[in-house]
Amino acid sequence: MGAAADVDPAYLLDPEHRPKPATAVVHGLPVIDLAKALSSPTPADLSKTISEIRDACRDWGFFQVVNHGVDAAVRERFEVAARRFFALPLEEKRKLRRVDMYPLGYYDVEHTKNVRDWKEVFDYSSTGSLEIPASDDPFDDALLKKINQWPENPPEFKEASEEYVRQTEKLAVKLVELISLSLGLGADRLKGFFEKETSFVRINHYPPCPEPHLALGVGRHTDAGAVTVLAQDDVGGLEVKRKADGEWIAVQPIPNAYIINIGNIMQVWSNAEYESPEHRAILNPEKDRISIPFFFNPAHYTMVEPLEELISDERPSKYKAYNWGKFFASRNRTNLQKLNVENIQIDHFKVAG
């Protein structure tokens, strides 16, 4: 991904967006224990967990969870299989390469903010296939149904991947229920949006970078979907822009924890009560790194807009409605190529005022 002392210009960030040589690790990112919420919580236990989630979503848009119900052995088996896959020769991995509107499989040319990311990726759907619009043209009603692509090697990759996402999805469903309760809504208020979900897992592999101060594994961005459930290894590298002062804060890895962040859709549903924070991935000059986000997303036909229960005269609607499938299709198209304009952002749907 670049010679020892030579970084391809495609990866180079503008100076103002380059990571600082050192960022303090802050332990203030909320850590929420889900043990009682996942069993048979008393009203007091549940109220405490909901309050912790409300504070974390308002203050950070990010938090970590422990005692979350995902089997550590299942996660470890999946991570080992993922590392074995990325260790394959490039020509072997590129047999599963995604192209244009095919959003599943392997690729190594993703762009964030029109700068190439220093990483390679494998995506797969949580349900085995994705049904999404064929294009981002609002007058094109055609749909694509794309199925997961699986490598022959390592042979355990498919089974490990499917078992992992089954458990991770259960956690995502529970988190959406708890976030809904934290907004003063019923636990099942958001359930209907996910009946034909477009959720997927992404395995990010970040090779060592000889000039980590000039590039990023993933540039600054917010997640487009509803909620992200992220596993990161012990190398670390995730940074979150702190809401209070705009500083970039390194997220300290906690063994077997998951990092949860609010996506654009949840920001809109909450009418900006909760905001999707910017985050990025910095690079390591010596160690490679794996991170695994599960993007929990609604059906492609979902019209995303503030929930009516969260709109009032004092707090009018802050966003215009938009179609999730078209938004997703636009992101798929623009993430694979460098453009002369910024790709679609949630701010494009803000109501002026």
Side-chain angles (χ1 to χ4, degrees):
M1 310 253 324
D6 180 28
V7 174
D8 187 313
Y11 297 102
L12 296 181
L13 296 155
D14 291 336
E16 67 268 26
H17 297 307
R18 292 176 185 172
K20 296 176 183 178
T23 304
V25 175
V26 173
H27 298 275
L29 193 70
V31 179
I32 299 175
D33 189 330
L34 294 181
K36 292 181 178 178
L38 294 178
S39 56
S40 299
T42 65
D45 289 336
L46 186 58
S47 178
K48 179 176 183 293
T49 302
I50 291 168
S51 178
E52 290 174 347
I53 287 176
R54 181 185 300 114
D55 290 345
C57 290
R58 280 179 175 167
D59 296 343
W60 286 86
F62 257 83
F63 55 95
Q64 299 202 63
V65 294
V66 295
N67 295 319
H68 42 64
V70 178
D71 188 330
V74 168
R75 172 170 164 176
E76 182 179 3
R77 180 170 175 250
F78 176 50
E79 289 181 359
V80 168
R83 289 187 182 278
R84 289 186 64 193
F85 170 75
F86 285 117
L88 294 172
L90 185 58
E91 62 268 23
E92 194 70 19
K93 292 180 286 190
R94 283 185 170 172
K95 291 178 182 177
L96 304 169
R97 193 169 184 175
R98 58 172 283 183
V99 292
D100 290 339
M101 297 305 295
Y102 202 124
L104 302 172
Y106 173 83
Y107 58 114
D108 56 0
V109 292
E110 186 173 47
H111 289 71
T112 303
K113 307 290 186 184
N114 282 319
V115 178
R116 188 170 171 184
D117 296 328
W118 188 277
K119 68 174 182 179
E120 54 182 346
V121 163
F122 185 88
D123 287 348
Y124 69 94
S125 164
S126 62
T127 60
S129 64
L130 277 182
E131 186 175 74
I132 58 171
S135 76
D136 54 359
D137 182 345
F139 300 104
D140 182 3
D141 293 331
L143 296 174
L144 291 176
K145 186 171 184 178
K146 297 298 184 180
I147 62 172
N148 287 333
Q149 303 188 81
W150 296 112
E152 293 181 4
N153 290 302
E156 72 275 16
F157 185 87
K158 178 177 184 291
E159 183 183 345
S161 301
E162 291 176 337
E163 176 58 27
Y164 175 80
V165 78
R166 277 194 291 270
Q167 294 205 14
T168 312
E169 176 144 10
K170 289 179 183 177
L171 173 58
V173 168
K174 187 63 180 180
L175 285 164
V176 167
E177 290 177 358
L178 292 169
I179 291 169
S180 184
L181 288 168
S182 77
L183 288 165
L185 307 169
D188 290 340
R189 174 63 177 88
L190 305 174
K191 183 178 179 180
F193 292 118
F194 297 92
E195 286 180 358
K196 292 187 177 180
E197 61 185 270
T198 54
S199 306
F200 66 99
V201 172
R202 168 166 295 170
I203 316 170
N204 293 306
H205 176 239
Y206 306 98
C209 179
E211 302 286 351
H213 60 290
L214 298 180
L216 285 168
V218 181
R220 73 195 197 285
H221 68 286
T222 60
D223 288 353
V227 171
T228 303
V229 179
L230 173 74
Q232 68 167 340
D233 64 17
D234 59 359
V235 174
L238 174 66
E239 292 188 344
V240 179
K241 183 178 277 191
R242 187 163 54 193
K243 195 173 171 182
D245 57 12
E247 284 294 311
W248 286 104
I249 303 302
V251 179
Q252 177 72 18
I254 297 175
N256 201 38
Y258 280 94
I259 299 162
I260 313 302
N261 78 277
I262 296 299
N264 292 164
I265 290 175
M266 190 65 73
Q267 176 173 323
V268 173
W269 280 341
S270 75
N271 201 24
E273 182 73 16
Y274 299 158
E275 294 182 9
S276 178
E278 277 197 321
H279 51 287
R280 65 187 186 184
I282 63 169
L283 298 161
N284 191 296
E286 299 169 354
K287 298 178 180 179
D288 71 335
R289 173 177 177 252
I290 290 276
S291 75
I292 308 168
F294 170 54
F295 300 106
F296 195 41
N297 299 332
H300 72 83
Y301 49 75
T302 302
M303 292 302 296
V304 181
E305 58 190 325
L307 300 171
E308 58 184 359
E309 300 96 317
L310 302 178
I311 298 172
S312 65
D313 290 341
E314 297 76 29
R315 195 175 178 84
S317 178
K318 297 190 175 184
Y319 295 92
K320 296 174 284 187
Y322 66 92
N323 178 272
W324 161 242
K326 294 297 185 182
F327 190 102
F328 185 63
S330 178
R331 280 289 181 90
N332 276 334
R333 179 179 61 83
T334 58
N335 283 351
L336 292 174
Q337 56 190 305
K338 183 167 183 174
L339 304 175
N340 293 322
V341 295
E342 184 178 44
N343 65 358
I344 193 169
Q345 302 292 323
I346 194 65
D347 286 351
H348 298 165
F349 298 95
K350 275 188 173 179
V351 174

